[in-house]
Amino acid sequence: MNSQAHSSKLIAGATGDWEVVIGLEIHAQVTSRSKLFSGASTEFGGAPNSHVSLVDAAMPGMLPVINEECVKQAIRTGLGLKAQINHRSVFDRKNYFYPDLPQGYQISQYKNPIVGEGEVLVDLSPTEQIKVGIERLHIEQDAGKLMHDLGANDSHVDLNRSGVALMEIVSKPDMRSAEEAKAYVTKLRTILRYIGTCDGNMEQGSLRADVNVSVRKPGEKFGTRCEIKNVNSIRFIGQAIDVEARRQIGILEDGGTIDQETRLYDPNKGETRSMRSKEEAHDYRYFPDPDLLPLEFDQAYVDALATTLPELPDEKKARFIAQFGLSPYDAGVLILERASADYFEEAARGRDAKLVANWVINELFGRLNKEGKSIENSPVSAAQIGAIVDLISANVISGKLAKDLFEIVWTEGGDPEKIVEARSMKQVTDTSAIEKAVDEIIAKNPDKVEQAKAKPTMLGWFVGQVMKATGGKANPQAANEILKAKLGI
Ligand code: ADP
Ligand code: MG
């Protein structure tokens, strides 16, 4: 492990090398059936304003009531981030005006968040990891959504999202390249999905990033940062960092200074542009929400939640390497999604795990990706992959026929063993049958036999002929040996 070695991540400028410094604020929608302070549904995609309670619409006199499920989810996430869980936290009002925020303030947590410092191990490659510090995690309400494209002269407000619980997960400024930031978000998303506290769906906005970027000459103190708001794909996060770093380097090398501001990334133009100058915390006039008591619980409450956590990705990866002898790369690929890891384990039970890993990663994942399917909807089950691997291990079918068999199982389903039987796909290891085929080929091709004696690489051609004659069923090793003997090479 090469931890904290941000090797060769520098950006060459006209005045020398620059280092980019990145900290991310991730907004992750909490997986819960109802909103943070109301009983309205959190379901995505309902008709506009169909999931809005009087609390979410901020009708006068309505009182927020904390949804305990959201609190549990935040604590479980904090545990997954190896973070400090604060037994007492406070909800504050963050005051600002926006048409999709009917309260006129967002209920958030400011000085006393529910989760404090933690740490995420980020995999850059199978052998290179960095640690990214977590500054805090707090719970807050989401706002509604403005729609400007329904009519020429009016804008609409959809409050379905208003009041949905978010976890804001703030990293320390520990990343030094777009690659590191992308790997961090990928890892964080994997952890959240493992624990089941956020579905991680970036297209639906369940996970969004505010990307803080500054640049400095190596060894100097941190530069002024700009915050790029609401970036909603991992690819765009990487692009936004690269173009923003370049922009800042350009300004600094021209003798200018960076204004701390909030910017937007435009993926079509490949540029960031200013949205507003950065507001300071005091602009929001934070104060404790008088409608809500401080949130308090004891260690027993935390301990009980800890027992509900699944095995986390880092631990699973280490176990796969130790238990199954997998390479760090294979283990890393298999644990990216919990469902894939479970699938692999089921298929590998009692079998050659490395062979199973190969089949799952190369054949199955390859095929799933090609068809845009997830492991949950795989047409080939773990038991079926296991059965295919059994047939290979027992030398019943060759690797090539196994691929044909996989194809049949993928499209038609069925028991692999029965399919091999019914379609006589069994590998021919019976040497007399192979010998017969070899004799025929030698008899028919005297010129090639002469050539092969001078040029032993011709053997490949003969093996191909044997395969053709046996419908691909000859055991290649047996064919090779018999051919060598009969050709005298
Ligand atoms: P704010 O609410 O003002 O955005 P936060 O504390 O919520 O402040 O988040 C600040 C984010 O900016 C953190 O992710 C932090 O790591 C990052 N950050 C702080 N200083 C720098 C810097 N000089 N360059 C890049 N990122 C920074
Ligand atoms: Mg912030």
Side-chain angles (χ1 to χ4, degrees):
M1 185 169 101
N2 189 2
S3 93
Q4 304 302 46
H6 307 277
S7 52
S8 65
K9 304 280 163 55
L10 301 180
I11 302 175
T15 60
D17 285 343
W18 293 85
E19 184 175 54
V20 54
V21 173
I22 304 147
L24 296 178
E25 298 161 69
I26 302 284
H27 287 96
Q29 183 180 324
V30 176
T31 301
S32 70
R33 276 208 290 278
S34 46
K35 296 183 180 180
L36 181 55
F37 297 116
S38 83
S41 165
T42 57
E43 205 174 316
F44 180 81
N49 297 309
S50 59
H51 303 318
V52 186
S53 76
L54 295 172
V55 175
D56 310 321
M59 290 298 153
M62 291 297 112
L63 285 175
V65 177
I66 185 82
N67 176 351
E68 186 180 359
E69 185 58 24
C70 298
V71 173
K72 288 180 172 169
Q73 293 288 60
I75 296 171
R76 295 175 75 239
T77 305
L79 292 169
L81 302 176
K82 320 277 184 225
Q84 184 195 324
I85 308 297
N86 294 324
H87 293 174
R88 183 179 189 277
S89 63
V90 176
F91 287 105
D92 295 290
R93 290 186 179 180
K94 181 180 184 180
N95 298 281
Y96 64 97
F97 171 81
Y98 216 67
D100 61 10
L101 185 80
Q103 280 170 172
Y105 57 83
Q106 176 191 32
I107 305 179
S108 180
Q109 297 188 306
Y110 178 49
K111 289 217 166 109
N112 301 285
I114 186 166
V115 175
E117 292 186 327
E119 185 176 279
V120 177
L121 268 181
V122 176
D123 307 87
L124 299 179
S125 73
T127 53
E128 202 185 352
Q129 286 186 320
I130 56 162
K131 281 182 197 155
V132 173
I134 297 294
E135 181 71 45
R136 56 190 270 144
L137 175 157
H138 66 255
I139 324 175
E140 63 184 25
Q141 298 173 300
D142 206 347
K145 200 168 75 183
L146 290 178
M147 290 181 284
H148 305 291
D149 50 3
L150 296 179
N153 300 314
D154 42 19
S155 286
H156 293 75
V157 190
D158 176 7
L159 293 179
N160 280 354
R161 219 174 55 190
S162 170
V164 167
L166 299 179
M167 296 179 282
E168 179 169 333
I169 304 169
V170 182
S171 86
K172 303 207 170 186
D174 283 351
M175 289 153 276
R176 297 290 178 271
S177 69
E179 285 316 310
E180 291 186 2
K182 281 160 57 175
Y184 165 75
V185 179
T186 304
K187 184 60 175 282
L188 189 63
R189 184 171 176 273
T190 296
I191 294 172
L192 295 172
R193 286 170 55 84
Y194 260 66
I195 311 176
T197 53
C198 170
D199 67 23
N201 190 327
M202 297 187 84
E203 275 135 61
Q204 293 182 359
S206 309
L207 194 82
R208 336 191 266 271
D210 296 346
V211 185
N212 295 272
V213 178
S214 66
V215 297
R216 65 172 174 184
K217 286 280 172 69
E220 287 183 357
K221 63 181 180 42
F222 284 159
T224 303
R225 71 186 152 110
C226 285
E227 178 176 351
I228 309 158
K229 273 279 172 205
N230 258 326
V231 189
N232 64 1
S233 90
I234 292 182
R235 192 158 54 94
F236 290 163
I237 290 172
Q239 291 171 2
I241 290 167
D242 284 335
V243 301
E244 177 60 16
R246 281 267 156 222
R247 186 189 72 88
Q248 293 183 14
I249 291 169
I251 291 172
L252 293 171
E253 292 197 326
D254 284 347
T257 51
I258 305 300
D259 296 327
Q260 185 169 336
E261 55 183 5
T262 303
R263 301 180 68 84
L264 275 184
Y265 176 61
D266 180 341
N268 296 318
K269 294 203 175 122
E271 62 183 29
T272 66
R273 60 172 174 269
S274 181
M275 202 172 139
R276 54 175 189 254
S277 65
K278 175 73 188 172
E279 49 294 286
E280 300 287 338
H282 61 246
D283 294 328
Y284 290 119
R285 301 289 189 274
Y286 277 102
F287 66 89
D289 192 311
D291 290 339
L292 289 159
L293 288 169
L295 184 59
E296 290 181 315
F297 44 81
D298 57 16
Q299 186 57 34
Y301 189 74
V302 179
D303 291 343
L305 288 169
T307 65
T308 70
L309 289 194
E311 181 182 38
L312 293 172
D314 291 326
E315 283 94 62
K316 204 184 274 297
K317 182 176 171 185
R319 182 169 62 79
F320 278 11
I321 294 170
Q323 182 179 341
F324 299 118
L326 298 186
S327 69
Y329 177 84
D330 283 356
V333 172
L334 289 169
I335 59 96
L336 264 181
E337 294 285 343
R338 193 173 159 186
S340 309
D342 290 346
Y343 182 106
F344 161 74
E345 275 209 274
E346 195 189 327
R349 202 164 297 133
R351 300 197 169 91
D352 176 347
K354 282 191 199 172
L355 189 57
V356 173
N358 272 342
W359 270 81
V360 171
I361 293 171
N362 299 323
E363 300 306 320
L364 182 72
F365 288 0
R367 194 63 205 263
L368 289 170
N369 280 344
K370 207 163 113 192
E371 308 224 348
K373 282 196 157 80
S374 66
I375 190 91
E376 287 89 347
N377 305 316
S378 170
V380 178
S381 70
Q384 286 169 317
I385 277 264
I388 295 175
V389 169
D390 283 344
L391 292 165
I392 302 171
S393 299
N395 261 321
V396 177
I397 52 172
S398 64
K400 181 187 171 302
L401 277 182
K403 287 186 186 180
D404 297 345
L405 176 60
F406 177 83
E407 200 52 39
I408 295 169
V409 177
W410 177 281
T411 45
E412 300 170 27
D415 176 354
E417 209 179 326
K418 291 206 178 105
I419 295 172
V420 166
E421 200 67 56
R423 307 198 186 186
S424 49
M425 293 170 78
K426 277 195 182 162
Q427 177 161 252
V428 178
T429 36
D430 169 11
T431 45
S432 65
I434 298 174
E435 260 178 62
K436 188 165 160 272
V438 168
D439 288 342
E440 280 170 21
I441 293 162
I442 288 180
K444 267 193 233 155
N445 300 282
D447 48 331
K448 292 256 169 30
V449 173
E450 280 313 306
Q451 288 174 21
K453 285 191 170 138
K455 199 173 143 218
T457 47
M458 277 291 294
L459 187 65
W461 181 85
F462 280 94
V463 175
Q465 294 302 303
V466 175
M467 285 302 176
K468 217 161 144 191
T470 58
K473 280 178 275 179
N475 178 319
Q477 233 168 320
N480 242 297
E481 276 159 29
I482 294 170
L483 274 166
K484 273 189 188 162
K486 299 224 172 205
L487 291 169
I489 55 175

